[in-house]
Amino acid sequence: MQTLAANSIPRTTEAQSDIQAGTKPTGLRIDVSQLKQLHAKPVSVADIPFLRDLLATNWLRAQSMKDMQSTVPDNAPQNIYAQVKVDGKVVATLYDGGSSMMTNAAAGTVGNLQDPPGLLGPDLAQWRAEAYARLLGGTIEKASTAITQSQWTPRESTSTVYSREQLDAAFEAMMAESRRAGAQRLSSYPTSLAQAGASADVSA
């Protein structure tokens, strides 16, 4: 007589056993009558102050970056104020905005030179040129592109702290750009559809 191992005897699942016993299968059950319909209410970005200000701030920063890219840098050749020369060689270049560039050797000699407080623009460039020439034993050669203090226009601050008025104006400008872009897309649809129809007729 053939015998079967205990582990080879087929077993019914728990659910099958419940069905055979006439009982309902166990498990998670949800009463449909207890479900509630959710009503989603659209919310405008303009109604969320934090998000509105965040978008406006990012827009202002992007505009600032565009302006910086289109602006001539301080150390452009056309902004040279003067040069300091030692033995006929340029060791330092001063710019109208007051910034400067110099050789490593010159920088080592000048060291940590402290600028006078409140001095900016061409006045600062002149003070630095005189200080460098004195410390390096050189001479100052003023450039033809040098300007006076009254001709100098300071660059606008790149501060990322904006006023309430700036944020509100930026958000309105951003929304206006979005509306214009949307209108342009809509106006291009009839043309696109017409072109698609024309190509379909040709291939027919």
Side-chain angles (χ1 to χ4, degrees):
M1 178 166 66
Q2 184 179 7
T3 59
L4 298 176
N7 58 3
S8 66
I9 300 175
R11 299 179 180 179
T12 59
T13 64
E14 183 179 346
Q16 289 173 331
S17 300
D18 289 341
I19 292 173
Q20 292 171 357
T23 60
K24 294 181 180 180
T26 59
L28 178 64
R29 289 177 294 178
I30 300 176
D31 188 349
V32 178
S33 64
Q34 299 299 317
L35 298 179
K36 294 183 180 180
Q37 185 176 3
L38 298 177
H39 299 279
K41 180 181 178 182
V43 179
S44 171
V45 173
D47 298 330
I48 307 176
F50 170 76
L51 184 56
R52 173 190 170 107
D53 288 351
L54 180 62
L55 292 174
T57 298
N58 289 337
W59 188 87
L60 285 168
R61 288 176 179 171
Q63 296 302 310
S64 178
M65 290 298 295
K66 290 180 182 178
D67 293 341
M68 289 177 63
Q69 291 173 357
S70 62
T71 302
V72 177
D74 283 336
N75 60 349
Q78 59 265 44
N79 290 334
I80 293 178
Y81 178 85
Q83 291 179 326
V84 176
K85 295 183 176 181
V86 176
D87 297 329
K89 296 181 180 180
V90 177
V91 295
T93 301
L94 294 304
Y95 297 92
D96 292 326
S99 61
S100 62
M101 292 180 63
M102 64 183 74
T103 63
N104 291 337
T109 302
V110 170
N112 188 23
L113 184 65
Q114 298 296 318
D115 299 324
L119 210 56
L120 299 170
D123 285 349
L124 176 58
Q126 180 64 34
W127 184 89
R128 284 183 169 181
E130 293 173 356
Y132 295 168
R134 183 178 68 255
L135 293 170
L136 298 171
T139 57
I140 301 171
E141 186 176 299
K142 206 160 185 179
S144 60
T145 51
I147 61 175
T148 63
Q149 189 71 17
S150 60
Q151 293 174 316
W152 177 64
T153 302
R155 290 184 182 273
E156 292 185 7
S157 172
T158 56
S159 172
T160 56
V161 178
Y162 301 105
S163 66
R164 177 77 268 153
E165 291 75 13
Q166 286 176 307
L167 290 172
D168 290 343
F171 185 80
E172 292 302 324
M174 183 181 65
M175 296 304 293
E177 280 188 359
S178 178
R179 287 192 291 268
R180 284 194 297 270
Q184 289 177 353
R185 285 194 297 269
L186 288 174
S187 65
S188 67
Y189 287 158
T191 303
S192 300
L193 292 175
Q195 290 175 347
S199 62
D201 292 338
V202 171
S203 63

